[in-house]
Amino acid sequence: MSSHSSSPEPSYIEYQGKYKGIFAWILSTDHKRIGMLYLYSIMTFFIIGAVLGLLMKFELIAPGKTVMEPQTYNAFFTLHGILMIFAVVIPGLPAVFGNFLLPIMIGAKDVAFPRLNLFSWYVYVLGIILVVISQFAGEGPPDTGWTFYAPYSFRTAGNMLPAVLGAFVLGFSSILTGLNFIVTMHRMRAPGMGWFKMPLFPWTLYGTAWIQLLATPVVGVTLLMVVAERTLNIGFFDPSLGGDPILYQHLFWIYSHPAVYIMILPAMGAISEIIPTFSRKSIFGYKFMVASTLAIAFVGYFVWGHHMFTSGMSGTALYTFSILTFLVAIPSAIKVFNWISTMHKGSIDMQTPFYWAMAFIFVFMVGGFTGLVLGSLAANVHLHNTHFVVAHFHFIVFGGTGFAFFAAMHYWFPKIYGRMYDTRWANTGLILFFIGFITLYMPMFYLGYMGMPRRYYDYDEVFHGGNIISSMGAWVLIAGVAVIIINLFRSAKHGPKAVADPWGGKTLEWTVPSPPPVENFEEIPTVTKGPYDYSQD
Amino acid sequence: MYSTTGIEASNFVSSFDTAFFSVIGISILLLVGITVLMLYFVFKYNRKKNKVAEHIEGNTKLEIIWTIIPTLLALGMFYFGWAGWHPMKNPPKDGITITTIARMWNFSYLYENGKQSAELVVPVGMPVKLKLISVDVLHSVFIPAFRVKEDIIPGREKIMWFIPQKAGVYDLYCAEYCGLQHSYMSSDLRAIPQEEFDKWYTDTTALASTVDESVPGAAGFVIMKTQGCNACHSSDGSKIIGPSYLGLWGKQHIVVRDGQDVLVTVDSAYIRKSIYEPNAEIVKGYQKGLMQSYDKVISEDDISKIIDYLKTLEE
């Protein structure tokens, strides 16, 4: 042990292995380097997706043609959806922060299968390449929306096959990451860390990993069926071949609804780390937080039908899905109550990650409550497929997962880079982001209520006002994103050096140096206390 | 039996309002309440004022309370949604049935007496049942003012219903993404008093009377308008989805047949084939698979009227 302290292990950033330059990263099996590979890939696609969204908002600022043709608009919302869902939000927190932090937070040196972990990233890149090919090869980019609904997806001349195969391949990356995390948590927790001493972020990764492992194959099979139908004319979904388009919707949403929980559970986990740290207080109701995570992961499998209330299902199926949709909201409500109660009688240090967590709670509540509106059968019939739905899921997926991603980024940034960011710029970015976000998406609830259908390139004059406000929100939002990313980018290079535990966190990642050494721990720690034990302070 | 005294546009407006505003009302109260509480805690327990946190790990009684109360609220919200939706699934026996045919990218309406219309004309105060048929991909009938929506599934026949309660012209949109012209797939819904409707409905000569037989091609023009051909084919030479009608008759152009380029002359046989087997030959530069066959929809007789109309569009 003493020999180590005289020559400390190099950090994962400085470490010189077999390979040099970029190969030292893209051939590394270190979970931290792989996490960073995902971070840079995801940020790249997030920026592309955001720019596509911004251009769509330019188009919608006035009725009629503004900047693009309808075919371009249809291709843009398709690519925006595919990139944001499959390449950004689904891998999102698990692939970046899960990879980087899960082993450290449970006191392990790496994940269970480090090579499989690197392979998952390559599978991810291959999936992206296929999606990119679909844009430039064949008879023009896909224009079906990210849902690929049959039978339109068989009629369009757009280059569907590579896009569908791309989504299929991206699914494998997700399955492999899930498998890796499950085994890691079962087998590699530090001595003394029983299941109920595990921090909440790993717990949400655990729930997420099971969804990735069990639900993703369903969409894989479904997308393969689309490929078989398009190439071999086997009639699964196209009525002109004897298939059933509703079957496609069932299979698609059996995966894609649980996928929403893949996106939001780790987001909740990150928030559950941040709030105790800055309140200097144990999380309120730890076991209820764990139970609600597992409840969401479980009940989330059984609510897919609420995407199809107007598609055509038996009445019994419809109200069963409706009631389950209401019930799946309860564990999320429990989480919100526990977060707020954690602040009660705490000693709250108002830092950037905590501001992000507060903003997350607000936008997540708006997303959750409007989800209840959509779960209500009579309300859904009117609001389904309108801008109300678009606003709702952007509040959950971008508001929920996106805010939590930036919260996590500002929380673990000093750990990851060993440097601190400029707080003033970080807070400015947050304020712009928040104002832009609300201005962009709030009017869309109103537009949907007024009856503006989604995926509309052009619209009637009654919807004009709401669209102007919404488009202007997009500009503010993008400005916020730019400030945040530039600040983090600069600080990663030039920020002041950070200590091992800048926030006073209690989980294991704060016990190792910033940035962490290659092997994480000189000696695997023995855990005796709960993850948020502030009782000695 | 059916109240027509309400000022709402349809019989489903009030049940939507109940379901929608009960959830929105409770949600806004909770959203404001929880946000204010969070801000209060953040100010009150700020580290500057409160140096040391109290050690609290949880409270089982509170957890049970805030599980049960939201569950009851959620069940109540579910009930209002269910109650408002249940009648939508149970159309009454009486009323009129209108077959709604959706195709990329228009709606057409076929009445029980064979009357066809590009506009949905309905009587106020009478249950209207729409029999929904799609000839190509998914579409959806969405009437925002009536708070109703139902997807149209090719290969399935579905029914949606409502009672128009207030005369007026309303928007009817397609709400399920169906390709290039999706946002232009809409039609007017005109709700008129019963007597006026009866007159419109029984007047099957309306078509003939508005067509001046002495004007060449007028009948063909009306047929094409009713079928919605102009959604994809212009009469002024501009390219929409398919080739324009302007100067089409007698023209020679290159089509792709079984992957081969073939030069054809536009004559009666060609027009007939283009309507009955639209995908057998595709004019070079246009997409395949977008037009459906109008076999059994447009008669041979109507085709000759269409040809008369096309002849008037020589350049």
Side-chain angles (χ1 to χ4, degrees), chain A residues 223-277:
Chain A
L223 296 175
L224 268 196
M225 287 161 88
V226 172
V227 173
E229 184 149 349
R230 240 184 115 106
T231 54
L232 307 172
N233 281 327
I234 303 172
F236 296 116
F237 307 126
D238 187 345
S240 66
L241 296 170
D244 182 0
I246 305 282
L247 175 65
Y248 175 83
Q249 298 181 11
H250 277 292
L251 290 172
F252 183 81
W253 290 114
I254 285 175
Y255 164 71
S256 296
H257 193 80
V260 178
Y261 298 105
I262 295 180
M263 306 169 196
I264 199 67
L265 275 175
M268 293 167 156
I271 300 301
S272 304
E273 298 295 330
I274 292 168
I275 291 177
T277 299

Short mmCIF file of all heavy atoms in Angstrom, two decimals, chain A residues 223-277:
data_model
loop_
_atom_site.label_atom_id
_atom_site.label_comp_id
_atom_site.label_asym_id
_atom_site.label_seq_id
_atom_site.Cartn_x
_atom_site.Cartn_y
_atom_site.Cartn_z
N LEU A 223 -38.54 -4.66 -36.03
CA LEU A 223 -37.86 -3.98 -37.13
C LEU A 223 -37.39 -4.99 -38.18
O LEU A 223 -37.44 -4.72 -39.37
CB LEU A 223 -36.70 -3.13 -36.60
CG LEU A 223 -37.14 -1.97 -35.68
CD1 LEU A 223 -35.94 -1.25 -35.09
CD2 LEU A 223 -38.01 -0.96 -36.42
N LEU A 224 -36.97 -6.17 -37.71
CA LEU A 224 -36.58 -7.22 -38.67
C LEU A 224 -37.78 -7.64 -39.52
O LEU A 224 -37.65 -7.92 -40.70
CB LEU A 224 -36.05 -8.44 -37.93
CG LEU A 224 -34.55 -8.53 -37.69
CD1 LEU A 224 -34.18 -9.96 -37.30
CD2 LEU A 224 -33.76 -8.12 -38.94
N MET A 225 -38.96 -7.70 -38.88
CA MET A 225 -40.17 -8.05 -39.62
C MET A 225 -40.45 -7.00 -40.70
O MET A 225 -40.88 -7.33 -41.80
CB MET A 225 -41.36 -8.18 -38.66
CG MET A 225 -41.32 -9.44 -37.81
SD MET A 225 -42.37 -9.34 -36.35
CE MET A 225 -43.92 -9.94 -37.02
N VAL A 226 -40.19 -5.73 -40.37
CA VAL A 226 -40.37 -4.68 -41.38
C VAL A 226 -39.42 -4.92 -42.54
O VAL A 226 -39.79 -4.83 -43.72
CB VAL A 226 -40.13 -3.29 -40.76
CG1 VAL A 226 -40.11 -2.22 -41.84
CG2 VAL A 226 -41.19 -2.97 -39.72
N VAL A 227 -38.16 -5.26 -42.21
CA VAL A 227 -37.17 -5.52 -43.26
C VAL A 227 -37.64 -6.68 -44.13
O VAL A 227 -37.63 -6.61 -45.36
CB VAL A 227 -35.79 -5.81 -42.64
CG1 VAL A 227 -34.81 -6.26 -43.70
CG2 VAL A 227 -35.27 -4.59 -41.90
N ALA A 228 -38.10 -7.77 -43.49
CA ALA A 228 -38.56 -8.95 -44.23
C ALA A 228 -39.75 -8.58 -45.11
O ALA A 228 -39.86 -9.03 -46.24
CB ALA A 228 -38.95 -10.06 -43.26
N GLU A 229 -40.62 -7.73 -44.58
CA GLU A 229 -41.81 -7.37 -45.34
C GLU A 229 -41.43 -6.52 -46.55
O GLU A 229 -41.96 -6.69 -47.64
CB GLU A 229 -42.78 -6.62 -44.42
CG GLU A 229 -44.08 -6.28 -45.11
CD GLU A 229 -45.25 -6.26 -44.15
OE1 GLU A 229 -45.11 -6.71 -43.00
OE2 GLU A 229 -46.31 -5.77 -44.55
N ARG A 230 -40.49 -5.60 -46.35
CA ARG A 230 -40.11 -4.70 -47.45
C ARG A 230 -39.31 -5.42 -48.51
O ARG A 230 -39.43 -5.12 -49.68
CB ARG A 230 -39.31 -3.51 -46.91
CG ARG A 230 -40.00 -2.18 -47.20
CD ARG A 230 -39.15 -1.00 -46.76
NE ARG A 230 -38.73 -0.20 -47.91
CZ ARG A 230 -39.23 0.98 -48.23
NH1 ARG A 230 -40.18 1.51 -47.52
NH2 ARG A 230 -38.78 1.64 -49.27
N THR A 231 -38.47 -6.39 -48.10
CA THR A 231 -37.62 -7.03 -49.10
C THR A 231 -38.25 -8.31 -49.65
O THR A 231 -38.12 -8.61 -50.83
CB THR A 231 -36.24 -7.37 -48.52
OG1 THR A 231 -36.44 -8.15 -47.33
CG2 THR A 231 -35.46 -6.13 -48.17
N LEU A 232 -38.92 -9.10 -48.81
CA LEU A 232 -39.43 -10.40 -49.25
C LEU A 232 -40.95 -10.42 -49.44
O LEU A 232 -41.51 -11.46 -49.77
CB LEU A 232 -39.05 -11.48 -48.23
CG LEU A 232 -37.57 -11.57 -47.85
CD1 LEU A 232 -37.36 -12.53 -46.71
CD2 LEU A 232 -36.75 -12.00 -49.07
N ASN A 233 -41.61 -9.28 -49.18
CA ASN A 233 -43.07 -9.21 -49.33
C ASN A 233 -43.82 -10.20 -48.44
O ASN A 233 -44.84 -10.76 -48.83
CB ASN A 233 -43.49 -9.43 -50.78
CG ASN A 233 -43.29 -8.16 -51.58
OD1 ASN A 233 -43.46 -7.06 -51.04
ND2 ASN A 233 -42.93 -8.30 -52.84
N ILE A 234 -43.30 -10.44 -47.24
CA ILE A 234 -44.03 -11.27 -46.29
C ILE A 234 -45.01 -10.35 -45.56
O ILE A 234 -44.60 -9.34 -45.01
CB ILE A 234 -43.07 -11.92 -45.27
CG1 ILE A 234 -42.01 -12.73 -46.00
CG2 ILE A 234 -43.84 -12.78 -44.29
CD1 ILE A 234 -40.92 -13.26 -45.11
N GLY A 235 -46.29 -10.71 -45.58
CA GLY A 235 -47.29 -9.77 -45.05
C GLY A 235 -47.49 -9.87 -43.55
O GLY A 235 -48.29 -10.67 -43.07
N PHE A 236 -46.74 -9.07 -42.78
CA PHE A 236 -47.01 -8.98 -41.34
C PHE A 236 -47.93 -7.81 -41.04
O PHE A 236 -48.87 -7.92 -40.27
CB PHE A 236 -45.72 -8.80 -40.55
CG PHE A 236 -44.76 -9.94 -40.63
CD1 PHE A 236 -43.51 -9.77 -41.21
CD2 PHE A 236 -45.10 -11.18 -40.11
CE1 PHE A 236 -42.62 -10.83 -41.28
CE2 PHE A 236 -44.21 -12.25 -40.18
CZ PHE A 236 -42.97 -12.07 -40.77
N PHE A 237 -47.60 -6.67 -41.62
CA PHE A 237 -48.23 -5.43 -41.19
C PHE A 237 -49.02 -4.73 -42.30
O PHE A 237 -49.87 -3.90 -42.02
CB PHE A 237 -47.18 -4.46 -40.67
CG PHE A 237 -46.29 -5.06 -39.61
CD1 PHE A 237 -44.91 -5.04 -39.74
CD2 PHE A 237 -46.84 -5.63 -38.48
CE1 PHE A 237 -44.10 -5.59 -38.76
CE2 PHE A 237 -46.04 -6.19 -37.49
CZ PHE A 237 -44.66 -6.17 -37.64
N ASP A 238 -48.69 -5.00 -43.56
CA ASP A 238 -49.33 -4.27 -44.65
C ASP A 238 -50.62 -4.98 -45.05
O ASP A 238 -50.58 -6.14 -45.47
CB ASP A 238 -48.36 -4.21 -45.85
CG ASP A 238 -48.89 -3.31 -46.95
OD1 ASP A 238 -50.10 -2.98 -46.92
OD2 ASP A 238 -48.11 -2.95 -47.84
N PRO A 239 -51.77 -4.32 -44.91
CA PRO A 239 -53.03 -4.99 -45.22
C PRO A 239 -53.10 -5.47 -46.65
O PRO A 239 -53.79 -6.46 -46.94
CB PRO A 239 -54.10 -3.94 -44.94
CG PRO A 239 -53.39 -2.68 -44.65
CD PRO A 239 -51.95 -2.95 -44.42
N SER A 240 -52.40 -4.81 -47.58
CA SER A 240 -52.48 -5.27 -48.96
C SER A 240 -51.76 -6.60 -49.14
O SER A 240 -51.92 -7.28 -50.15
CB SER A 240 -51.90 -4.21 -49.91
OG SER A 240 -50.53 -4.07 -49.68
N LEU A 241 -50.95 -7.01 -48.14
CA LEU A 241 -50.33 -8.34 -48.18
C LEU A 241 -51.00 -9.26 -47.16
O LEU A 241 -50.50 -10.35 -46.87
CB LEU A 241 -48.84 -8.23 -47.86
CG LEU A 241 -47.97 -7.44 -48.85
CD1 LEU A 241 -46.58 -7.21 -48.27
CD2 LEU A 241 -47.86 -8.17 -50.16
N GLY A 242 -52.10 -8.80 -46.56
CA GLY A 242 -52.79 -9.61 -45.55
C GLY A 242 -52.33 -9.35 -44.13
O GLY A 242 -52.69 -10.07 -43.21
N GLY A 243 -51.52 -8.32 -43.93
CA GLY A 243 -51.01 -8.02 -42.59
C GLY A 243 -51.91 -7.06 -41.84
O GLY A 243 -52.95 -6.64 -42.33
N ASP A 244 -51.48 -6.71 -40.61
CA ASP A 244 -52.30 -5.85 -39.76
C ASP A 244 -51.46 -4.68 -39.22
O ASP A 244 -50.53 -4.89 -38.46
CB ASP A 244 -52.84 -6.67 -38.59
CG ASP A 244 -53.75 -5.84 -37.69
OD1 ASP A 244 -53.95 -4.65 -37.98
OD2 ASP A 244 -54.24 -6.39 -36.70
N PRO A 245 -51.79 -3.45 -39.62
CA PRO A 245 -51.00 -2.30 -39.17
C PRO A 245 -51.07 -2.08 -37.66
O PRO A 245 -50.13 -1.55 -37.07
CB PRO A 245 -51.61 -1.11 -39.90
CG PRO A 245 -52.71 -1.61 -40.75
CD PRO A 245 -52.86 -3.08 -40.55
N ILE A 246 -52.16 -2.52 -37.02
CA ILE A 246 -52.28 -2.34 -35.57
C ILE A 246 -51.29 -3.24 -34.84
O ILE A 246 -50.75 -2.88 -33.80
CB ILE A 246 -53.71 -2.67 -35.10
CG1 ILE A 246 -54.74 -1.84 -35.86
CG2 ILE A 246 -53.84 -2.46 -33.60
CD1 ILE A 246 -54.85 -0.43 -35.41
N LEU A 247 -51.05 -4.43 -35.42
CA LEU A 247 -50.06 -5.34 -34.82
C LEU A 247 -48.71 -4.64 -34.74
O LEU A 247 -48.00 -4.74 -33.74
CB LEU A 247 -49.95 -6.62 -35.66
CG LEU A 247 -48.86 -7.60 -35.22
CD1 LEU A 247 -49.17 -8.15 -33.84
CD2 LEU A 247 -48.73 -8.75 -36.22
N TYR A 248 -48.37 -3.90 -35.81
CA TYR A 248 -47.10 -3.18 -35.79
C TYR A 248 -47.06 -2.21 -34.61
O TYR A 248 -46.08 -2.13 -33.88
CB TYR A 248 -46.87 -2.42 -37.10
CG TYR A 248 -45.62 -1.58 -37.03
CD1 TYR A 248 -44.39 -2.15 -37.28
CD2 TYR A 248 -45.67 -0.25 -36.61
CE1 TYR A 248 -43.23 -1.41 -37.16
CE2 TYR A 248 -44.53 0.49 -36.48
CZ TYR A 248 -43.30 -0.09 -36.75
OH TYR A 248 -42.15 0.64 -36.60
N GLN A 249 -48.16 -1.47 -34.44
CA GLN A 249 -48.18 -0.46 -33.37
C GLN A 249 -48.01 -1.12 -32.00
O GLN A 249 -47.28 -0.62 -31.15
CB GLN A 249 -49.47 0.33 -33.42
CG GLN A 249 -49.62 1.10 -34.72
CD GLN A 249 -50.90 1.92 -34.76
OE1 GLN A 249 -51.60 2.09 -33.77
NE2 GLN A 249 -51.21 2.45 -35.92
N HIS A 250 -48.69 -2.26 -31.78
CA HIS A 250 -48.53 -2.96 -30.50
C HIS A 250 -47.07 -3.32 -30.27
O HIS A 250 -46.50 -3.02 -29.24
CB HIS A 250 -49.37 -4.23 -30.49
CG HIS A 250 -50.81 -4.00 -30.13
ND1 HIS A 250 -51.21 -3.61 -28.88
CD2 HIS A 250 -51.94 -4.10 -30.86
CE1 HIS A 250 -52.53 -3.49 -28.85
NE2 HIS A 250 -53.00 -3.76 -30.06
N LEU A 251 -46.48 -3.99 -31.27
CA LEU A 251 -45.10 -4.46 -31.10
C LEU A 251 -44.16 -3.28 -30.89
O LEU A 251 -43.25 -3.32 -30.05
CB LEU A 251 -44.67 -5.28 -32.31
CG LEU A 251 -45.36 -6.64 -32.43
CD1 LEU A 251 -45.02 -7.29 -33.77
CD2 LEU A 251 -44.94 -7.56 -31.29
N PHE A 252 -44.39 -2.21 -31.67
CA PHE A 252 -43.50 -1.06 -31.56
C PHE A 252 -43.58 -0.44 -30.16
O PHE A 252 -42.56 -0.14 -29.54
CB PHE A 252 -43.86 -0.01 -32.62
CG PHE A 252 -42.94 1.17 -32.61
CD1 PHE A 252 -41.71 1.11 -33.24
CD2 PHE A 252 -43.28 2.34 -31.95
CE1 PHE A 252 -40.85 2.19 -33.21
CE2 PHE A 252 -42.43 3.42 -31.92
CZ PHE A 252 -41.21 3.35 -32.56
N TRP A 253 -44.79 -0.27 -29.64
CA TRP A 253 -44.91 0.42 -28.35
C TRP A 253 -44.62 -0.48 -27.16
O TRP A 253 -44.33 0.00 -26.07
CB TRP A 253 -46.28 1.08 -28.22
CG TRP A 253 -46.40 2.25 -29.14
CD1 TRP A 253 -47.24 2.37 -30.21
CD2 TRP A 253 -45.66 3.48 -29.09
NE1 TRP A 253 -47.05 3.58 -30.83
CE2 TRP A 253 -46.09 4.28 -30.17
CE3 TRP A 253 -44.66 3.98 -28.24
CZ2 TRP A 253 -45.57 5.56 -30.43
CZ3 TRP A 253 -44.13 5.24 -28.50
CH2 TRP A 253 -44.59 6.00 -29.58
N ILE A 254 -44.69 -1.82 -27.35
CA ILE A 254 -44.30 -2.72 -26.26
C ILE A 254 -42.85 -2.43 -25.87
O ILE A 254 -42.48 -2.49 -24.70
CB ILE A 254 -44.48 -4.20 -26.66
CG1 ILE A 254 -45.96 -4.56 -26.65
CG2 ILE A 254 -43.71 -5.13 -25.72
CD1 ILE A 254 -46.26 -5.95 -27.16
N TYR A 255 -42.04 -2.08 -26.87
CA TYR A 255 -40.69 -1.62 -26.54
C TYR A 255 -40.66 -0.13 -26.24
O TYR A 255 -40.10 0.31 -25.24
CB TYR A 255 -39.72 -1.88 -27.69
CG TYR A 255 -38.43 -1.10 -27.54
CD1 TYR A 255 -37.50 -1.45 -26.56
CD2 TYR A 255 -38.16 0.01 -28.33
CE1 TYR A 255 -36.35 -0.72 -26.38
CE2 TYR A 255 -37.00 0.75 -28.15
CZ TYR A 255 -36.09 0.38 -27.18
OH TYR A 255 -34.96 1.11 -27.00
N SER A 256 -41.25 0.65 -27.12
CA SER A 256 -40.95 2.07 -27.09
C SER A 256 -41.59 2.78 -25.91
O SER A 256 -41.16 3.86 -25.55
CB SER A 256 -41.39 2.73 -28.39
OG SER A 256 -40.63 2.19 -29.44
N HIS A 257 -42.61 2.18 -25.29
CA HIS A 257 -43.03 2.82 -24.05
C HIS A 257 -42.06 2.54 -22.91
O HIS A 257 -41.59 3.48 -22.28
CB HIS A 257 -44.48 2.58 -23.64
CG HIS A 257 -44.79 3.55 -22.55
ND1 HIS A 257 -45.09 4.86 -22.82
CD2 HIS A 257 -44.63 3.47 -21.21
CE1 HIS A 257 -45.15 5.52 -21.68
NE2 HIS A 257 -44.89 4.72 -20.70
N PRO A 258 -41.73 1.26 -22.63
CA PRO A 258 -40.68 1.04 -21.62
C PRO A 258 -39.41 1.84 -21.90
O PRO A 258 -38.71 2.25 -20.99
CB PRO A 258 -40.42 -0.47 -21.69
CG PRO A 258 -41.69 -1.05 -22.18
CD PRO A 258 -42.28 -0.03 -23.11
N ALA A 259 -39.14 2.09 -23.19
CA ALA A 259 -37.96 2.88 -23.53
C ALA A 259 -38.00 4.26 -22.89
O ALA A 259 -36.96 4.82 -22.54
CB ALA A 259 -37.82 3.01 -25.04
N VAL A 260 -39.20 4.81 -22.72
CA VAL A 260 -39.31 6.10 -22.04
C VAL A 260 -38.77 5.99 -20.62
O VAL A 260 -38.16 6.91 -20.09
CB VAL A 260 -40.77 6.59 -22.03
CG1 VAL A 260 -40.89 7.90 -21.29
CG2 VAL A 260 -41.29 6.73 -23.44
N TYR A 261 -38.97 4.81 -20.01
CA TYR A 261 -38.46 4.63 -18.65
C TYR A 261 -36.97 4.36 -18.66
O TYR A 261 -36.29 4.66 -17.69
CB TYR A 261 -39.27 3.54 -17.93
CG TYR A 261 -40.72 3.96 -17.81
CD1 TYR A 261 -41.71 3.43 -18.60
CD2 TYR A 261 -41.07 5.00 -16.94
CE1 TYR A 261 -43.02 3.87 -18.53
CE2 TYR A 261 -42.37 5.46 -16.86
CZ TYR A 261 -43.34 4.89 -17.67
OH TYR A 261 -44.63 5.35 -17.60
N ILE A 262 -36.45 3.79 -19.78
CA ILE A 262 -35.00 3.70 -19.93
C ILE A 262 -34.42 5.12 -19.87
O ILE A 262 -33.38 5.37 -19.29
CB ILE A 262 -34.61 3.04 -21.28
CG1 ILE A 262 -35.07 1.59 -21.33
CG2 ILE A 262 -33.10 3.14 -21.51
CD1 ILE A 262 -34.73 0.88 -22.63
N MET A 263 -35.17 6.07 -20.47
CA MET A 263 -34.68 7.44 -20.52
C MET A 263 -34.80 8.14 -19.17
O MET A 263 -33.92 8.88 -18.76
CB MET A 263 -35.48 8.24 -21.56
CG MET A 263 -35.52 7.61 -22.93
SD MET A 263 -36.75 8.45 -23.94
CE MET A 263 -36.97 7.30 -25.27
N ILE A 264 -35.92 7.92 -18.48
CA ILE A 264 -36.20 8.77 -17.32
C ILE A 264 -35.67 8.18 -16.02
O ILE A 264 -35.31 8.94 -15.10
CB ILE A 264 -37.72 9.09 -17.23
CG1 ILE A 264 -37.98 10.32 -16.36
CG2 ILE A 264 -38.52 7.92 -16.72
CD1 ILE A 264 -37.47 11.60 -16.93
N LEU A 265 -35.59 6.85 -15.88
CA LEU A 265 -35.15 6.29 -14.59
C LEU A 265 -33.75 6.75 -14.19
O LEU A 265 -33.56 7.23 -13.07
CB LEU A 265 -35.22 4.76 -14.63
CG LEU A 265 -36.58 4.14 -14.29
CD1 LEU A 265 -36.51 2.62 -14.48
CD2 LEU A 265 -37.00 4.46 -12.86
N PRO A 266 -32.75 6.63 -15.07
CA PRO A 266 -31.41 7.09 -14.66
C PRO A 266 -31.39 8.60 -14.39
O PRO A 266 -30.61 9.07 -13.57
CB PRO A 266 -30.52 6.76 -15.87
CG PRO A 266 -31.30 5.83 -16.70
CD PRO A 266 -32.74 6.09 -16.44
N ALA A 267 -32.29 9.34 -15.08
CA ALA A 267 -32.39 10.76 -14.81
C ALA A 267 -32.83 10.98 -13.37
O ALA A 267 -32.26 11.78 -12.63
CB ALA A 267 -33.38 11.41 -15.78
N MET A 268 -33.84 10.22 -12.95
CA MET A 268 -34.29 10.30 -11.56
C MET A 268 -33.17 9.90 -10.61
O MET A 268 -33.03 10.46 -9.53
CB MET A 268 -35.49 9.37 -11.36
CG MET A 268 -36.73 9.78 -12.11
SD MET A 268 -37.90 8.41 -12.08
CE MET A 268 -39.43 9.31 -12.32
N GLY A 269 -32.38 8.90 -11.03
CA GLY A 269 -31.28 8.45 -10.19
C GLY A 269 -30.26 9.55 -9.97
O GLY A 269 -29.80 9.78 -8.85
N ALA A 270 -29.92 10.28 -11.04
CA ALA A 270 -28.93 11.36 -10.91
C ALA A 270 -29.45 12.43 -9.96
O ALA A 270 -28.72 12.94 -9.11
CB ALA A 270 -28.64 11.95 -12.29
N ILE A 271 -30.75 12.77 -10.10
CA ILE A 271 -31.33 13.79 -9.22
C ILE A 271 -31.30 13.31 -7.77
O ILE A 271 -31.05 14.08 -6.84
CB ILE A 271 -32.78 14.11 -9.67
CG1 ILE A 271 -32.79 14.64 -11.11
CG2 ILE A 271 -33.46 15.10 -8.72
CD1 ILE A 271 -31.98 15.88 -11.36
N SER A 272 -31.53 12.00 -7.57
CA SER A 272 -31.51 11.44 -6.21
C SER A 272 -30.11 11.46 -5.60
O SER A 272 -29.96 11.32 -4.39
CB SER A 272 -32.02 10.00 -6.23
OG SER A 272 -33.29 9.93 -6.79
N GLU A 273 -29.07 11.59 -6.42
CA GLU A 273 -27.71 11.77 -5.89
C GLU A 273 -27.46 13.23 -5.53
O GLU A 273 -26.84 13.55 -4.52
CB GLU A 273 -26.65 11.34 -6.92
CG GLU A 273 -26.70 9.89 -7.33
CD GLU A 273 -26.37 8.95 -6.19
OE1 GLU A 273 -25.60 9.34 -5.28
OE2 GLU A 273 -26.92 7.83 -6.18
N ILE A 274 -27.93 14.13 -6.40
CA ILE A 274 -27.59 15.55 -6.26
C ILE A 274 -28.28 16.15 -5.04
O ILE A 274 -27.66 16.90 -4.27
CB ILE A 274 -27.98 16.29 -7.56
CG1 ILE A 274 -27.05 15.83 -8.70
CG2 ILE A 274 -27.88 17.81 -7.37
CD1 ILE A 274 -27.50 16.28 -10.08
N ILE A 275 -29.56 15.86 -4.85
CA ILE A 275 -30.31 16.53 -3.79
C ILE A 275 -29.75 16.24 -2.40
O ILE A 275 -29.52 17.18 -1.62
CB ILE A 275 -31.82 16.26 -3.93
CG1 ILE A 275 -32.31 17.00 -5.19
CG2 ILE A 275 -32.59 16.72 -2.70
CD1 ILE A 275 -33.74 16.78 -5.52
N PRO A 276 -29.45 14.97 -2.03
CA PRO A 276 -28.86 14.76 -0.71
C PRO A 276 -27.51 15.46 -0.55
O PRO A 276 -27.23 16.04 0.50
CB PRO A 276 -28.67 13.24 -0.63
CG PRO A 276 -29.54 12.68 -1.68
CD PRO A 276 -29.71 13.72 -2.73
N THR A 277 -26.67 15.42 -1.59
CA THR A 277 -25.34 16.01 -1.47
C THR A 277 -25.42 17.49 -1.12
O THR A 277 -24.73 17.96 -0.20
CB THR A 277 -24.56 15.83 -2.78
OG1 THR A 277 -24.42 14.44 -3.03
CG2 THR A 277 -23.19 16.47 -2.69
#
